[in-house]
Amino acid sequence: MVNMKHESLLSIAALRRHIASIERHNGARSTEIFAFGAASVDQELGGGLALGRMHEVFAATADNASSAAGFALMLAIRASTHGGAILWLRQEQAEFQAGRLHATGLAELGLNPERLILGIAPDTQTLLKAAADSLRCAGLGAVVIEPWRSPYAIDLTVSRRLGLAAEHSGVTAILLRSDAAPVPSVAQSRWEVSGTLSTPLAANAPGGTTFDIKLLRHRGGRDGLAWRVEWNRDRQIFHETPLSGAILPLPAGGPLAAHGKVTPLRQAG
Amino acid sequence: MTLADARALVGDFAVFEHDIQADQRWLERLADYCERYTPMVSCDPPDGLLLDITGCGYGYDGEAGLVRDVEQRFARIGMTMKAALAYAPEAAHALARFQTVPASDEYLAVRRLGITALEAEPETETALRRAGLKTIADLATRPSAVLTARFGDETTDKLARLLGKADSRITPRRPLPALAVERRFAEPIAKVAFALDILTALAGETAQILESRSNGGRRFIARFFRSDGAVRDIMVETGLPTRDPAILERLFRERVDALADPIDPGFGFDMIRLGVARLEPIAPTQLQLEGGSVADKEVAELIDRLSIRLGRNRVHRFIPRDTHIPEQAELALPAIEAPVTAAWKEPPEGEPPMRPIHLFDPPQPIEVIGASVPDGPPARFRWRRTLHEIIHYEGPERIAPLWWRMAQGEGLTRDYFRIEDVRGRRFWIFRHGLYGTERQNPGWYMHGLFA
């Protein structure tokens, strides 16, 4: 009896060691983060989001798909400030129905298109397989994975596979869901994005890219927070703008121009 | 003989339309089959194949042994054939079709052929016969100037090639690989996994040869010869020249996994050949301190794998083009061959994005309500059954069609507007045609979406 008890104690100790080794393995790479640049966001996030993890970006409604794509790109840019190519994996249907990814437009958001590789998969399964393979390539800066609708294909197993691959190589994965509802996943953070009114420039022209972002979930941090941020293309960081929704009587030129010189006349076209 | 005559004589038989295409396809397939002997195979329609087997008799007991092997294999797949060996393609062609009397060697055999072997025009042939020239030997002894004067260049050229006096070669059906290694099996192998292992071994052999030449391959073609005559090609391509067997193995496995119709071993493969279609020198790489070149290599290998899994036209890099037409301003090239560096214009500082991130191709028509004429923006518009109220706009940015097309009366001026609706969606729309001068009622289109 005593002997048996001793043995079970031994095996429990062995199990504990095993669990500890697994935890060590997971915990070893959690230190590096990338910041948004907007102080209030970074403060709530504890400095920023973790590199080498998976982050999910959802569009608030289907017609916010482009805003969500833009936000995903901005996260990818922030996560790969050290350089490296950004791989964007899409599906054929997205290219046909949601519009082709326009490299010139991405350049306008601050990505040098030289760094962009676009992969187009015929279906979700192929896309996810390609994504898992790509995430193992440590030479990449970030991977944007954009499945087209199909909420069932992405389950916990798939997201765990992607998450582990990202963790192992240190490549940040951005899972972009334009027209889908959140499902359980191992993502480090989950965002909901909708485009919002920009601060108009001179002559009532649309201003810089402004989003309402909502942090739906943040592993090991607070969630349920919301901000209104504007993307500064030139410095490749976010700025916060007040969440009131009202258009503030800012000087002509807006916050974008305020960083550089204010030009009373803009060249339009 | 007409079909009616034949029916009257024999009565009961099956009739098929002559399907030239099917014949040609079958001939092509047999030609593929014959590539096991030599890469220099060409079709000799309608019913012949020409093989250049110079130096290929090794392993078959010489050239005669090789011919015996061809005969055996063709008999096995139910083909009757007549083979002839000769010093020139034309001579072999003529011997296979027109030889009636045996001869001790091919030179003599060709000389004993009748002049039908020239396959000249009927008038020429009649003229030759009338002149008492009945065999090739009769012609061969005449001075060619006389023959040219009487029967034309064509006859003497043909004769020269038949006699091996003029240079004549086979044009192979496919470009020859720069390098090829192969393995034959006494017993056909029926397992794809084993065939892939053999391929890995062949990749190892290739790597040794390439290393000695300090070259790498950009395109590799594995050819699986099935014992029943079917041939299957699997090609992989790499962005950077490579000779690493491990990479090749991975690429081939990737390719085989991604095949829409999997490799069918049937009764087994009896030969596998690995050809390198494109050779390029491998430059020695120097590691950078930051590991830049290692990362680049990893990404290049990833692009290779993705290009094989998704298809080479589905993995893109973008390069800019010097045009002001928005949808033509960039080119998506296969990443496997696109240059990595390209001169992209930096957007001006402090400006909001002027081009959308999603571009519709073709642009989608929208229903516009209350557009101010002649060149103002709409007040609201309907797109995908949703009404959008415009609050901010900028434009028009006028983009004219290409002048050489405008001169022909084609193409309309587009007036682009960057707009924002009350809910904060940002769109890029344009009016197609100038109001009044180009169109009475110009159409409006949605061309793209801003982030």
Side-chain angles (χ1 to χ4, degrees), chain A residues 63-64 66-67 69-70 87 90 92 97-109 112-114 116-122 126 129-130 133-134 137-140 195-198 200-201 204-211 233-234 266 268-269, chain B residues 250 254 295 298-299 302-303 305-306 309-310 314-318 326-327 329-330 335 340-342 344 347-361 364 384 391-394 396-397 418-426 449-451:
Chain A
D63 60 352
N64 280 304
S66 291
S67 297
L87 175 69
R90 301 191 91 192
E92 237 164 32
Q97 293 181 36
R100 258 171 31 203
L101 208 58
H102 192 46
T104 319
L106 300 183
E108 298 267 1
L109 289 178
N112 182 356
E114 271 178 27
L116 180 71
I117 305 163
L118 172 66
I120 298 170
T126 321
K129 263 172 91 177
D133 193 17
S134 311
C137 173
L140 288 174
T196 192
L197 276 183
S198 59
L201 304 177
N204 215 20
T209 309
T210 314
F211 301 130
R233 187 250 329 275
D234 304 319
R266 292 180 55 251
Chain B
R250 190 162 175 194
E254 195 81 33
E298 277 176 8
V299 173
L302 175 70
I303 289 177
R305 286 203 300 279
L306 288 180
R309 184 179 298 166
L310 307 174
R314 285 165 179 267
V315 184
H316 302 295
R317 268 186 197 279
F318 292 93
E327 64 270 24
E330 64 190 43
V340 177
T341 52
W344 288 87
E349 207 169 303
E351 293 285 320
M354 304 304 275
R355 290 286 181 270
I357 67 167
H358 286 145
L359 196 75
F360 292 110
D361 185 22
Q364 304 185 348
R384 289 183 176 170
I391 178 163
H392 301 139
Y393 78 93
E394 182 177 61
E397 179 184 351
R418 214 160 58 75
I419 57 173
E420 191 171 47
D421 77 354
V422 285
R423 293 187 302 146
R425 320 271 177 278
R426 289 168 278 271
L449 303 171
F450 290 95

Side-chain angles (χ1 to χ4, degrees), chain A residues 198-227:
Chain A
S198 59
T199 318
L201 304 177
N204 215 20
T209 309
T210 314
F211 301 130
D212 277 337
I213 55 173
K214 218 192 271 179
L215 181 58
L216 297 181
R217 179 196 155 93
H218 188 208
R219 210 166 261 266
R222 285 182 64 194
D223 52 21
L225 300 163
W227 294 274

